[in-house]
Structure formats: structure tokens, C-alpha cells
Amino acid sequence: MTVLYNDPTQFREELIEGFVAAYGRLVRRVPDASGVVAAQPLPRSQVAVVIGGGSGHYPAFCGYVGPGLASAAVMGNVFAAPSAEQIYRVTRAAAGDGGVLFCYGNYSGDVLNFDMAEQRCQAEGLKVRTVRVTDDVASAPQGEESERRGIAGDFFVFKIAGASAARGDDLETVARLTQKANDQTRSFGVAFGGCTLPGQSAPLFAVEPGQMELGLGVHGEPGIQSSHLRPAHEIAGLLLETLLANAPAALPPRVGVLLNGLGSTQYEELFVLYKDVHRLLVAAGLTPYHPVVAEMVTSLDMAGCSLSLCWLDDELLPLFDAPCTSAAYTKF
């Protein structure tokens, strides 16, 4: 359970304060808003990439702010969307003359509030485009990909967006490449235990002993179905089989791979699982490219993991390879 807090109602504000104190070389806080911007101002002509969503998912979202990644992040309360006013203030603090890309997971509260902030910014003459992350194959069937929610695939989509902006691409190009990265990313996860909100004594959902949840969300939602707990090699097969059944068509076999921990699964366990994931990827004719085994989108203290694949064609590959620096992820 979540045990380190003072006043649960101030959890978001205190975590932002602590994050800025620790990583002030990379970020600064936006006054009167629950968000951060890059410590070094962007060139005025560069597209600003503004990401966001609820707290409780670190390193999403503030941990992705820095050169070559996001320009700013706005955070709501735990598992809650930031308000339109917060999004607006963070956007105005980050934006120059190149316009703004909003990028966030496809959840109703985030969609509503980011859309309101976008309308306000555009009324003031600021160009804004939006890409919603929709990588979770468990949340809608094939043919309804735009209805899916965003989970750990955020990592790939944000990375491509930030690299495109840092390269100097214009707003329309940044939006197009970010959308392409989203369209070529798929994720699926499993949970072994629920997460507990600060100040609460019971998890949002419970997993029976010897069971696991398939197709979990990252806001404390249980999976779409329960199953018996399996050894690591069988879980690897289940994750990969599900993703390949939902794979985008006619793409090269090179894939970015993220095996993501959800909050309380040990890294050693993730490496045990990745051994089998890697073997199965190669057996399926895919080429894992610079895999990442880490916590990149968490759900407080949830026990579980997700697997994300991003098909990297010749247009996306150099953007994934581009250097970046942030609290959570650095690439040289």
C-alpha cells in the first residue's frame, strides 16, 4: 500500500514539490499550476510537446520532461485528469512560436479537459494539435483502435514526439509522426495485485491467491478477465501472442520493446520474464531493438507488468535513436 504521505489531499502537490527539488537541473515548476516545464527554455520556433494525465504513474508524466523529450507535463490528482485551467497555464508557460502538440492517454476526463484548453489556446492565436495514445489492445477490439486507452505505449509515443520537435520539425510534421508512432504501438498487461490510493487501507481491486488479471488498466481498473497464475515463460507467451494478434499490418520486423513494471514488481522478476519475451520475439521473426526493461508508466503500488511493442520503420527509427535527457530516461 502507499504509505509515504502527509495529507492525502496534498499528495500531488507534495510529489511535484519534491520532484522539482530533486531534478531542478531539468525542470522548473509552473506557478499556480500542477505542472512542470523544461528548465532550459525552448528555441522560440520549436514545437512544444505538452504531455499529461493523472498522478500515480511516475515517471509518467513529469519524469519525461527534458531535452529531446517533452517540453512540459501537467498532472491531475491521483488517477484524475488535470483541469483545463492547469493545462492552459502549463501550455502558455511552455509555448513559443512553433505551436504546441498535446499528447496524452485516451481517457474521457483528459480528452474533455485537454480539448477545452486547446480551444482556449487556439482562440488566443496559438496553434495546437493533439495526439491521443491508444495502445492498449485489451480496451477495444480491432477496427476500433481509436477507442483504446493509453497505457505504457506512452513511452514510445512521447519519445517520437519529443525527438521530432527537437529536430526542428514543424507542428504538422510532429503531429503526423507522433500519430504514426501511436498507430504502430501495441500494449497488453497483467496484474498480480491491486493498488492502494494514499490514505486508503484497501486496494482498488483484489486478486485472489493463485490468480492474475489480464488486460489491466493503469488507474486501478481490474483486468478484462481473470486467469490462473502461470510461470514466467507462459506469461511471456500470453503477452506476445496477444500483441501479435493485434499487430499493425505490413510493417518491418524491427520493434522497440518495453517490458514495463507497474509499481511493485521487482526488476529481477522483469528480467526473468524478459528472457522469455526476447526468445519468443526472435522466434516470431521480429528483431528487438534497444529493449527497455523498466518502470515507465506505473500505477502506484500495483503488482504486475505490461509489454509494449512499437514497430520502428525507417522514418521512426532515427527519432527513437535520437538523444534525450530526462529524470526517467536518457539516451546518448
Side-chain angles (χ1 to χ4, degrees):
M1 62 184 298
T2 306
V3 296
L4 293 177
Y5 57 88
N6 295 305
D7 179 352
T9 66
Q10 295 300 307
F11 188 79
R12 172 190 59 183
E13 298 306 313
E14 292 193 11
L15 80 85
I16 295 174
E17 183 179 349
F19 178 76
V20 173
Y23 292 105
R25 64 191 182 276
L26 293 172
V27 300
R28 59 183 174 85
R29 181 145 193 190
V30 179
D32 302 317
S34 296
V36 298
V37 296
Q40 298 300 317
L42 300 177
R44 292 292 301 176
S45 60
Q46 183 173 317
V47 173
V49 177
V50 177
I51 63 175
S55 302
H57 304 301
Y58 187 85
F61 296 91
C62 56
Y64 289 129
V65 176
L69 264 168
S71 314
V74 57
M75 290 172 288
N77 287 321
V78 176
F79 300 165
S83 71
E85 180 67 23
Q86 291 166 344
I87 298 165
Y88 170 79
R89 292 183 181 183
V90 170
T91 301
R92 295 305 313 191
D97 301 325
V100 175
L101 177 75
F102 284 161
C103 195
Y104 55 89
N106 185 35
Y107 297 90
S108 58
D110 296 286
V111 171
L112 176 66
N113 292 344
F114 271 94
D115 279 356
M116 286 194 292
E118 178 177 343
Q119 292 168 10
R120 183 174 177 185
C121 289
Q122 290 181 332
E124 296 177 0
L126 181 60
K127 294 183 294 183
V128 181
R129 299 291 181 271
T130 292
V131 174
R132 298 174 187 135
V133 183
T134 57
D135 59 304
D136 178 23
V137 303
S139 55
Q142 288 180 301
E144 299 180 19
E145 285 84 359
S146 65
E147 302 302 313
R148 291 173 173 170
R149 59 194 176 188
I151 53 173
D154 282 353
F155 166 73
F156 291 111
V157 182
F158 296 164
K159 176 65 179 72
I160 298 301
S164 177
R167 187 172 65 181
D169 294 343
D170 63 22
L171 179 57
E172 297 303 327
T173 302
V174 174
R176 180 184 68 80
L177 292 169
T178 303
Q179 185 64 57
K180 184 177 187 179
N182 178 71
D183 293 345
Q184 295 179 192
T185 300
R186 302 287 189 270
S187 300
F188 184 70
V190 297
F192 314 120
C195 57
T196 306
L197 298 177
Q200 301 297 311
S201 59
L204 292 174
F205 71 91
V207 180
E208 295 296 324
Q211 297 288 302
M212 63 181 184
E213 293 286 307
L214 309 180
L216 58 102
V218 291
H219 297 98
E221 309 99 328
I224 57 173
Q225 68 179 89
S226 298
S227 176
H228 64 280
L229 187 60
R230 313 175 191 191
H233 72 273
E234 291 188 18
I235 293 175
L238 172 65
L239 293 172
L240 188 56
E241 180 181 310
T242 303
L243 294 185
L244 294 184
N246 285 269
L251 287 173
R254 180 177 52 220
V255 289
V257 185
L258 169 62
L259 183 58
N260 175 66
L262 286 162
S264 66
T265 302
Q266 299 300 309
Y267 273 57
E268 289 88 344
E269 295 176 273
L270 293 176
F271 287 123
V272 168
L273 181 60
Y274 185 73
K275 171 185 70 70
D276 292 307
V277 168
H278 192 95
R279 172 180 56 81
L280 292 171
L281 283 167
V282 173
L286 297 174
T287 303
Y289 188 80
H290 293 189
V292 176
V293 180
E295 292 181 339
M296 299 306 291
V297 178
T298 60
S299 184
L300 286 176
D301 59 334
M302 184 182 288
C305 61
S306 62
L307 179 64
S308 299
L309 301 179
C310 179
W311 276 258
L312 297 168
D313 61 19
D314 291 341
E315 193 171 34
L316 295 187
L317 181 64
L319 297 171
F320 182 64
D321 274 342
C324 64
T325 304
S326 70
Y329 185 71
T330 294
K331 195 161 192 174
F332 299 103

